[in-house]
Amino acid sequence: MEFCELTIGDARKLLFDRQITSFELTSALLERIKKYDDEIGAFITVDKDLALEQAKKADQDISDDNISALTGVPIALKDLLCTKGIKTTCGSKILDNFIPQYDGTVVSKLKENGAVIIGKTNMDEFAMGSSTENSSYKITTNPWNREYVPGGSSGGSAAAVAAQFCCAALGTDTGGSIRQPASHCGVVGLKPTYGRVSRFGLVSYGSSLDQIGPITKDVRDAAILLNIISGNDKMDSTSATVDVPDFTRAFDQFEKDSLKGMTAGIPKEYMSVDGIDPEVGKVFNEAKKILEALGVKIKDISLPHTDYVVAAYYIIAPCEASSNLARFDGVKYGFRENACEDLIDMYKKTKSKGFGPEVQRRIIIGTYALSAGYYDAYYGRASQVRTLIMEDFSNAFKTCDFILSPVAPAPAFKIGENIDDPLTMYLTDIFTLSANMAGVPGISVPAGYSSKGLPIGIQMMAKRFDEMALLRAGYGFEKTIQLDKRFPDL
Amino acid sequence: MKISTDEVTKIAHLARLEIDESQKEKMADQLSHILQYIDKLKHVDVEGIKLSSGAAFMNNVLRNDELKVSPGPDVTLANAPLRDEDFYIVPRIVK
């Protein structure tokens, strides 16, 4: 087996059995990044020396029998997770020189568990986008076909896993930003329940929607990472005070009939969404059959407010963004325009030069929707619709264990195809936004390929804090369809 | 909802952004297009429905009021674009 093919599970075994060293593994991956990342563009920052230093320390720990869950395993991080001493740009010029003075909670947890941070991945600026084309640094291409986008906003993380530059990665998901790129790149992406994972040290976009989660080569690795990053944190008052189960238990004594007795709901509203690509429909129907064959009962359900999800989301998220991004004012950190007349002029010139067009567009939408006279009609109403969407999900989960759907209406699109049409881009988020609006967990698992060879995933969503159901169903599905060992030739 | 270029200027000022003159028309068109779509929320019957701000547990989170060491100005101001020892420098505010 090549170094680059290793999952977290494989790597741990070989490292802990002393068959390979972390230095060898990390060096091999760095070599692969050097060779191919000019074309893929998955990383914004790779600190080779720092990674090798961590690898050497891990090797020492292993020889001292001081072994933790991820000792010596190379992991990539989306570049909006604060890493002490490593530049964290959020894909934005406004943070081009920003070096965090502390680690985000998930980063601390990875480090405490011995992980090697191999690099920081490209993304849509401040996580606003579905294609990673909104990065101020570079275009990330889809490792399966360089003419296509990897999805977004965690496109760099998904591409890094698909290109086998790391054992696994972390992304963040505000409206699908883990699940959609995972689907487009043929890897597994899990958005945990809102509150499952601390957001401390995640640069906020939509604080009521953001969650950090794993992007991995298989479902088991997603459970391994979720075990590590989950849990209440006193630094994030929205992190939930609920017990964290051992998620890898989802795979214990897994038999052929282990999914028997589970019920999957298929929302009738999802099936009548305009513009579902026939190839996505075909893969989805095949997936349904596979789950049925595994003993899952398929049931029609209804999420009556589906038609309003995109509209409500594209008020709530920009409103939260306009408030969160006000902090980048040129005073405390980041870029500052000094050629200005006064303080207000400094703010304006700093932000206008520092933020890209999509970020400015969302700040303006949010500011408009929150401005005097419009608040009730937009933010107020969208928040009421959000209540209805949450109720839709609560009702649905009374009769099914998980909801099955496509991840995106179509496979990855060509680079540049939608860049000038923000609304069309927003509409492609239809299947993923609801999980963030309702705070429920969702997973994307590879399920097939388009005729052009682009990966297509399926999504499962479960009730809050029931990631276990997603991991079980996802694992059963993965074991049957066996796409987890398939990666593109670079 | 149709947004004019004047409104773009006004909202941009509220957001402390400066939109280039050449981009205002395009921004106004894109915003109008997006807001027209969002207007479909008007068709939802929300009479008597409470507002939701998210899925966080709505409990108060308290901690003990304990004295802790602060990171200090060298850490806090490490990323300041302009500083004078322990102070951020901003353009003159009082004229």
Side-chain angles (χ1 to χ4, degrees), chain B residues 76-93:
Chain B
T76 308
L77 277 77
N79 279 290
L82 272 181
R83 66 186 274 202
D84 180 2
E85 296 193 1
D86 294 353
F87 297 91
Y88 294 107
I89 297 179
V90 295
R92 176 186 285 273
I93 297 166

Side-chain angles (χ1 to χ4, degrees), chain A residues 18-36:
Chain A
R18 277 93 162 157
Q19 293 185 37
I20 60 167
T21 65
S22 177
F23 190 83
E24 290 168 338
L25 171 58
T26 306
S27 304
L29 295 178
L30 287 167
E31 198 50 46
R32 189 170 168 87
I33 291 168
K34 195 176 154 200
K35 191 166 171 196
Y36 294 112

Side-chain angles (χ1 to χ4, degrees), chain A residues 214-233:
Chain A
I215 296 178
T216 56
K217 293 174 183 171
D218 65 17
V219 174
R220 184 181 284 275
D221 277 6
I224 293 171
L225 277 185
L226 192 60
N227 273 353
I228 290 162
I229 62 175
S230 297
N232 179 247
D233 176 16

Side-chain angles (χ1 to χ4, degrees), chain A residues 148-220:
Chain A
Y148 289 80
V149 302
S153 67
S154 311
S157 285
V161 176
Q164 301 177 290
F165 291 154
C166 51
C167 290
L170 290 184
T172 66
D173 191 315
T174 306
S177 286
I178 286 173
R179 293 159 285 156
Q180 184 256 25
S183 175
H184 286 349
C185 290
V187 292
V188 174
L190 173 67
K191 181 201 92 75
T193 309
Y194 186 80
R196 178 63 93 186
V197 178
S198 167
R199 293 182 294 112
F200 178 68
L202 145 70
V203 180
S204 296
Y205 156 24
S207 306
S208 79
L209 304 154
D210 297 338
Q211 265 296 285
I212 300 164
I215 296 178
T216 56
K217 293 174 183 171
D218 65 17
V219 174
R220 184 181 284 275

Side-chain angles (χ1 to χ4, degrees), chain A residues 388-404:
Chain A
L388 295 168
I389 293 164
M390 291 169 104
E391 286 173 6
D392 284 356
F393 274 79
S394 306
N395 290 331
F397 288 128
K398 284 175 190 160
T399 64
C400 65
D401 299 298
F402 64 92
I403 293 172
L404 180 68

